[in-house]
Amino acid sequence: MYVARHACHSQHFSLFFIQSSIAPLPSSPSVAYTNVTHPVPELHQSERSREVLELGERYILPVYARPPIVLDHGKGSWVWDCDGRKYLDFSAGIAVNALGHSDEGVTEVLRAQSSKLLHASNVYHNEHAPALAALIVTLTQREGGLGYPTGTAEPTSTPGAKVFFSNSGTEANEGALKVARKVGKDRGGERKHEIVCFEQSFHGRSLGALSITVNAKYQSPFAPLLPGVRVGKLNVLEGLEDLITKDTCAVVLEPIQGEGGVNAAGVDWVRRVVTRAREVGAVVIFDEIQCGLYRTSSLWAHSAWPVECHPDIVTMAKPLANGYPIGAVLLRDSVAETMTAGTHGTTFGGSPLACAVGHHVLSRLSAREFVSHLTETSAYLAGRLEQLPRWFPQLVGGVRGRGLIVGLVLKEEGHPSRLVELARERGVLLLSAGKDCVRLVPSLTVTREEVASAVDVIESCLTVLMGGR
């Protein structure tokens, strides 16, 4: 049995969990709640917090809607604000902090490399960019993806793929679009320039990436956007031949949509999309910025799919350096060969520091024992969440996602944001996604005990929402 007690104080509140056992999955709601107060009294703010918030309001462009807390430090799956409040972080910097906060290994690589060579630009070679590129390619060969079947015994002697380093996921997607446009011209001339994307997608906020991020709220203020973009519907087969034509140079999709609501692409649908793209000579781009690099318990979300469902390009970023800015584009040689000196570039991308951290992080994420741990933890999370539609049928519509990118679907408009707020008041940080979903993307190091604590709080929040109906 789980017992959650929430205590609110004038200076701060704390969250306590008493557990007698976490081994079995309960058959009914497992939390007995005492001293649950709602609404939680207004949080105390220290003078330091008020100063930071006021300074930000005065000088920072107000493009973020943020709660009035100032984070100060973190460790593992936990963060503390300037007023001493402790939070269990199931947002992980929006699926970035794969190894958690303040990881000692990452800290040591940052210290050692920054004291040696911080930046030199791509005018010169550095030792860490090739090493990280080789690791990305050889892991893909070994674990499946980009045309390599799962379980390839040994990496091939010829790499078969290339990597371009950027500074973010948005930049990675911009680079992939440029490659696809150039391949399109090589294969079909000026007419072959159209890009196909899908509803509820999110690929970034620069003008090119925004053009394929199908959300009127994001796009409308900045129209007109990139011309030649056509929009389809995820998992809808009807009309694919009219959507993807001889003028299409690129088809872009997320195997699991993150921001759009943790919506998974069906493998049979992907097979038809990729087959159609191959028929017309279009480049297939998988945006795995949020769902890739072991968040689904495999290297890529598409790693276990048949090779006929694999892309020509994979974009990545978020967890690659555990919070230090980096992005990357992984390309099959057949599309990479179009890019020559001067066709693309970046000042900061592929820096010695970013790539040294990236190599350290990816080496640890790919370790067998690490993958085994996160597979077990994600299975426990799925088991706990799968009980909620039965316990709260009026509120919860289901669970979406895979591994440690999971969405809890809520039936009523406004409930996702309200659940995020209630959970934060009780010491757990969650994210909303799309119109109907609360997203859980904890650090990949999250423990079974921390999962139990987070789900206990979610259950308590759903109980509060139920009482407000």
Side-chain angles (χ1 to χ4, degrees):
M1 171 183 252
Y2 304 88
V3 180
R5 177 162 59 86
H6 309 280
C8 297
H9 307 283
S10 60
Q11 293 297 316
H12 58 85
F13 65 86
S14 55
L15 181 61
F16 305 95
F17 294 92
I18 303 169
Q19 300 174 192
S20 59
S21 171
I22 62 168
L25 286 174
S27 58
S28 61
S30 58
V31 185
Y33 305 101
T34 61
N35 282 345
V36 177
T37 58
H38 178 73
V40 173
E42 184 177 350
L43 297 182
H44 168 80
Q45 287 183 340
S46 66
E47 183 178 352
R48 176 59 181 156
S49 290
R50 289 195 298 272
E51 288 175 352
V52 172
L53 294 171
E54 290 168 4
L55 199 64
E57 184 176 0
R58 185 173 180 181
Y59 291 109
I60 292 179
L61 194 67
V63 295
Y64 304 110
R66 296 186 274 206
I69 59 174
V70 181
L71 297 185
D72 179 74
H73 64 283
K75 187 65 180 176
S77 294
W78 300 86
V79 291
W80 287 258
D81 67 18
C82 286
D83 299 315
R85 288 179 288 261
K86 181 181 180 181
Y87 303 86
L88 180 54
D89 186 5
F90 262 56
S91 65
I94 315 183
V96 168
N97 304 116
L99 296 177
H101 298 279
S102 302
D103 179 80
E104 293 177 3
V106 171
T107 300
E108 175 55 26
V109 174
L110 284 166
R111 185 206 63 78
Q113 185 57 42
S114 63
S115 65
K116 182 180 177 183
L117 186 65
L118 190 70
H119 172 76
S121 87
N122 286 296
V123 172
Y124 309 102
H125 295 282
N126 72 74
E127 62 179 317
H128 297 293
L132 178 55
L135 182 60
I136 292 169
V137 172
T138 55
L139 282 175
T140 303
Q141 291 172 336
R142 187 184 80 190
E143 302 189 22
L146 205 75
Y148 297 102
T150 302
T152 302
E154 296 292 337
T156 59
S157 56
T158 302
K162 299 292 188 294
V163 175
F164 175 84
F165 290 112
S166 64
N167 305 290
S168 68
T170 296
E171 288 185 34
N173 283 336
E174 289 283 354
L177 293 178
K178 283 184 65 176
V179 172
R181 274 281 177 89
K182 193 167 187 304
V183 171
K185 288 190 175 184
D186 292 346
R187 293 176 178 176
E190 296 294 331
R191 287 186 53 132
K192 196 172 185 63
H193 71 279
E194 292 184 351
I195 300 167
V196 170
C197 61
F198 297 92
E199 290 181 356
Q200 298 175 287
S201 59
F202 185 93
H203 300 289
R205 295 178 186 264
S206 59
L207 283 177
L210 184 62
S211 300
I212 56 171
T213 295
V214 187
N215 186 319
K217 179 178 70 174
Y218 298 149
Q219 290 185 333
S220 296
F222 307 103
L225 299 172
L226 194 68
V229 174
R230 308 186 73 183
V231 181
K233 294 184 178 181
L234 188 74
N235 293 328
V236 174
L237 291 170
E238 185 179 357
L240 281 181
E241 290 193 359
D242 294 329
L243 179 69
I244 304 170
T245 73
K246 65 181 186 306
D247 294 332
T248 304
C249 73
V251 178
V252 189
L253 64 90
E254 298 166 88
I256 300 177
Q257 294 178 336
E259 304 295 325
V262 195
N263 307 300
V267 64
D268 291 334
W269 176 79
V270 171
R271 181 183 287 107
R272 289 281 298 274
V273 169
V274 173
T275 298
R276 178 58 180 164
R278 301 270 189 264
E279 289 172 354
V280 301
V283 172
V284 178
I285 303 168
F286 281 6
D287 176 343
E288 295 227 17
I289 289 163
Q290 188 161 159
C291 64
L293 297 173
Y294 297 98
R295 182 146 293 275
T296 61
S297 300
S298 58
L299 174 61
W300 306 117
H302 76 275
S303 289
W305 289 351
V307 293
E308 64 267 23
C309 301
H310 288 194
D312 303 297
I313 297 176
V314 182
T315 57
M316 70 200 82
K318 286 181 180 293
L320 185 54
N322 206 58
Y324 192 89
I326 190 173
V329 186
L330 173 65
L331 316 88
R332 295 190 196 217
D333 275 349
S334 58
V335 297
E337 63 188 13
T338 192
M339 303 301 284
T340 56
T343 53
H344 196 42
T346 169
T347 296
F348 295 103
S351 76
L353 185 58
C355 291
V357 177
H359 192 278
H360 174 84
V361 171
L362 188 53
S363 296
R364 287 172 58 186
L365 295 181
S366 60
R368 298 295 187 191
E369 59 273 17
F370 187 95
V371 176
S372 177
H373 160 78
L374 76 90
T375 300
E376 292 175 2
T377 307
S378 61
Y380 178 67
L381 173 62
R384 288 293 304 271
L385 292 177
E386 284 169 2
Q387 308 299 314
L388 300 184
R390 180 164 58 87
W391 294 343
F392 302 95
Q394 300 95 328
L395 299 179
V396 180
V399 180
R400 296 195 287 245
R402 177 157 42 112
L404 290 178
I405 176 169
V406 183
L408 185 66
V409 182
L410 300 181
K411 293 183 176 180
E412 293 193 16
E413 184 178 349
H415 274 179
S417 59
R418 187 68 184 124
L419 178 56
V420 170
E421 180 184 22
L422 289 169
R424 185 176 66 248
E425 290 173 348
R426 286 150 180 79
V428 175
L429 303 182
L430 305 172
L431 297 167
S432 59
K435 296 179 179 179
D436 64 351
C437 189
V438 170
R439 184 175 19 156
L440 288 74
V441 283
S443 298
L444 303 186
T445 54
V446 69
T447 67
R448 187 181 175 99
E449 292 79 8
E450 289 164 345
V451 167
S453 298
V455 179
D456 286 346
V457 169
I458 290 172
E459 290 173 14
S460 77
C461 297
L462 290 171
T463 300
V464 171
L465 286 176
M466 181 69 73
R469 288 177 61 86

